[in-house]
Amino acid sequence: MKKLVISVIFIGLSGLYVLYRPQIAVQTTASTPSVPGTAGPNSSGIVPTIRRMIEEDDDGPRIIRPNPTPAPPPVSATPTAQTPAKAVYKDGTYTGSVADAFYGLVQVKATIANGRITDVVFLSYPSDRATSVSINSQATPYLTQEAIQAQTANVNIISGATETSLAFKQSLSFALASAKI
Amino acid sequence: MKETRLIMGMPIEIEIIGPTSPRLRMASDNAFEYLTKVDERFSTYKDSSEISKINIGEVKDNEMSEEMKEVFALAEKTKKETNGYFNICRPDGKIDPSGIVKGWAIRNTAELISKAGHENYFVNAGGDIAMGGTNTEGGQWSVGIKNPFNVSEIVKIVYPRGKGIATSGSYIRGAHIYNPLTPEEELKDIVSITVIGPDVLEADRFATSAFAMGKAGIAFIENLPSFEGYMIDKDGIATMTSGFAVYTQQ
């Protein structure tokens, strides 16, 4: 538990450090982001690293990345006076340094566009398997879609989220909030 | 016989097919009693529960019950498999395993019923369902996925054929589940995801986690072997995994 708290704080501090470091020149193409001064073994680029990690993994769950978010415009290297208010971030792609979370090594890469987080990838360095979960606001285009339609036939059993399980929902929201950067 | 009771803060419905007999009634009663005991052990709303005592430091690690250890181990496994999206540790340091206890308890309840010699049954706890055998007519159990926008309707009919099925979601007027990466924003891009998996515990833990991932959750399920999913977004568009259609046929 302590480890988790410390590592979350560490990740948070790493993130803040990366964001507010002066004179950041960020190239933000969709395929090869380069973040100067990235602490970690893969300063040549994170996306090729992710591809290698995923390709090497033959038996675990694999995440196929949907079409990447369009690259935001490059950010000028001159630091402007920032008044941090609410969720203000500089556009660009940022990678936190590797941190020791409770269950293994964790590294986070966030993409900021128009001041908002548009993509975050958790990278974990494997002992046995490499997985990454990409949070992307776009739907996965290759899966079948349909508009939902009311069905009139009778069924034996109904499956749906329940409002009465408030405790369940509350615990989940607490649990998920603790995973924030 | 079919009966519904309110346990663990939700309606739990159990149907066991067969002529009404003391033996059948006992199987049903035992199933509900087991779920009540689970609630007594795992409810964070009861000061007398083992989990509440653990959370105030009254239980040493070696004094923990086998069931508690088992649930903790499952939670840890799920956390790793979802890169932290599933986490029973709260920010205040307390542990709340109710997100994993539900699926685990339903799975165990189903085992109790089938070990008592009843092959045709289902257990539905708040939308998470374990089933065995066939319905009264001898056909496959049919499951309707609730319309998140109108709870008196169903929008999809599936036949899980003995697999576990779980739906995670929220209603438009009250979403309490957050994307862990932007917790200040309520997760509103999807409203429901239904997962069919090897058993109800598996379906439940991944439905919960996939829901928290928003629209990316369905891709997560697509890439899990042996799992299929049906996600409904806030605009009423459903996205299904590539193997899901198999379950829409009787």
Side-chain angles (χ1 to χ4, degrees):
Chain A
M1 193 58 221
K2 262 194 212 157
K3 266 190 180 174
L4 176 66
V5 171
I6 290 170
S7 60
V8 168
I9 292 171
F10 186 66
I11 292 169
L13 289 174
S14 309
L16 285 172
Y17 173 68
V18 171
L19 286 170
Y20 293 104
R21 205 166 37 187
Q23 294 178 358
I24 295 173
V26 179
Q27 303 290 329
T28 55
T29 61
S31 52
T32 51
S34 76
V35 180
T38 305
N42 300 296
S43 51
S44 57
I46 291 299
V47 173
T49 308
I50 299 172
R51 254 187 233 123
R52 265 205 307 284
M53 281 162 50
I54 292 176
E55 280 156 12
E56 277 164 10
D57 173 26
D58 281 332
D59 57 344
R62 292 170 53 177
I63 306 305
I64 301 166
R65 286 187 67 106
N67 295 326
T69 319
V75 177
S76 151
T78 320
T80 49
Q82 285 271 16
T83 342
K86 294 197 182 154
V88 174
Y89 301 112
K90 289 183 191 170
D91 287 358
T93 315
Y94 304 95
T95 304
S97 42
V98 177
D100 182 12
F102 186 65
Y103 52 92
L105 296 176
V106 167
Q107 186 174 32
V108 174
K109 181 183 79 141
T111 303
I112 317 289
N114 301 317
R116 297 181 65 76
I117 301 173
T118 56
D119 190 14
V120 180
V121 180
F122 275 161
L123 313 174
S124 59
Y125 290 88
S127 51
D128 53 344
R129 117 191 343 183
T131 55
S132 74
V133 175
S134 171
I135 313 310
N136 192 304
S137 59
Q138 294 173 347
T140 46
Y142 52 90
L143 300 181
T144 309
Q145 294 195 309
E146 64 187 10
I148 57 171
Q149 281 182 322
Q151 305 292 315
T152 50
N154 287 328
V155 291
N156 300 134
I157 322 167
I158 307 277
S159 181
T162 171
E163 280 185 314
T164 61
S165 188
L166 186 60
F168 166 65
K169 286 182 183 174
Q170 281 177 342
S171 77
L172 191 58
S173 68
F174 277 125
L176 295 175
S178 75
K180 65 180 173 181
I181 298 169
Chain B
M1 65 172 285
K2 198 198 293 196
E3 190 181 341
T4 303
R5 296 191 200 176
L6 271 174
I7 309 174
M8 295 193 280
M10 72 187 94
I12 303 189
E13 184 185 26
I14 297 180
E15 176 165 9
I16 306 178
I17 307 286
T20 314
S21 66
R23 189 177 140 259
L24 197 91
R25 171 161 286 286
M26 188 165 72
S28 178
D29 284 348
N30 286 346
F32 282 117
E33 263 174 46
Y34 168 74
L35 288 161
T36 304
K37 288 206 178 79
V38 167
D39 193 33
E40 283 164 6
R41 185 188 299 285
F42 289 99
S43 172
T44 52
Y45 287 81
K46 298 181 155 97
D47 287 342
S48 52
S49 71
E50 184 184 349
I51 191 65
S52 293
K53 291 183 180 153
I54 287 173
N55 280 329
I56 57 173
E58 268 185 18
V59 177
K60 297 193 191 108
D61 277 358
N62 60 1
E63 287 169 356
M64 236 188 272
S65 66
E66 289 308 311
E67 292 195 317
M68 188 63 67
K69 286 183 200 167
E70 186 183 339
V71 163
F72 280 5
L74 276 166
E76 186 57 29
K77 185 166 95 113
T78 311
K79 189 169 89 166
K80 284 183 185 160
E81 287 165 339
T82 60
N83 273 2
Y85 265 97
F86 187 93
N87 188 347
I88 62 172
C89 296
R90 298 204 308 225
D92 62 358
K94 303 280 190 239
I95 301 172
D96 184 356
S98 43
I100 191 97
V101 167
K102 188 164 76 148
W104 172 81
I106 302 166
R107 187 202 63 183
N108 293 344
T109 307
E111 260 177 49
L112 276 175
I113 294 170
S114 67
K115 282 189 177 145
H118 305 282
E119 291 177 346
N120 306 302
Y121 64 90
F122 73 82
V123 181
N124 181 1
D128 297 357
I129 304 158
M131 69 196 77
T134 54
N135 60 22
T136 335
E137 287 87 37
Q140 290 298 326
W141 289 110
S142 56
V143 178
I145 298 177
K146 222 188 263 189
N147 183 348
F149 305 92
N150 182 346
V151 301
S152 59
E153 285 178 355
I154 56 171
V155 291
K156 199 73 176 172
I157 298 175
V158 292
Y159 306 89
R161 297 201 272 276
K163 300 246 192 317
I165 179 168
T167 299
S168 230
S170 65
Y171 294 111
I172 305 300
R173 51 193 148 97
H176 291 287
I177 300 184
Y178 299 90
N179 182 328
L181 304 165
T182 51
E184 67 281 357
E185 276 174 41
E186 284 201 348
L187 198 73
K188 286 203 171 85
D189 60 348
I190 69 168
V191 293
S192 154
I193 182 163
T194 300
V195 171
I196 299 177
D199 64 42
V200 67
L201 167 57
E202 298 298 294
D204 188 21
R205 67 197 188 100
F206 286 119
T208 303
S209 314
F211 185 78
M213 297 174 191
K215 277 188 170 164
I218 194 70
F220 179 77
I221 300 297
E222 171 75 1
N223 288 288
L224 276 182
S226 312
F227 288 82
E228 301 299 337
Y230 188 85
M231 171 186 84
I232 302 172
D233 71 18
K234 63 173 171 40
D235 302 311
I237 304 295
T239 307
M240 65 196 89
T241 53
S242 53
F244 183 82
V246 148
Y247 293 109
T248 58
Q249 283 132 48
Q250 206 147 9

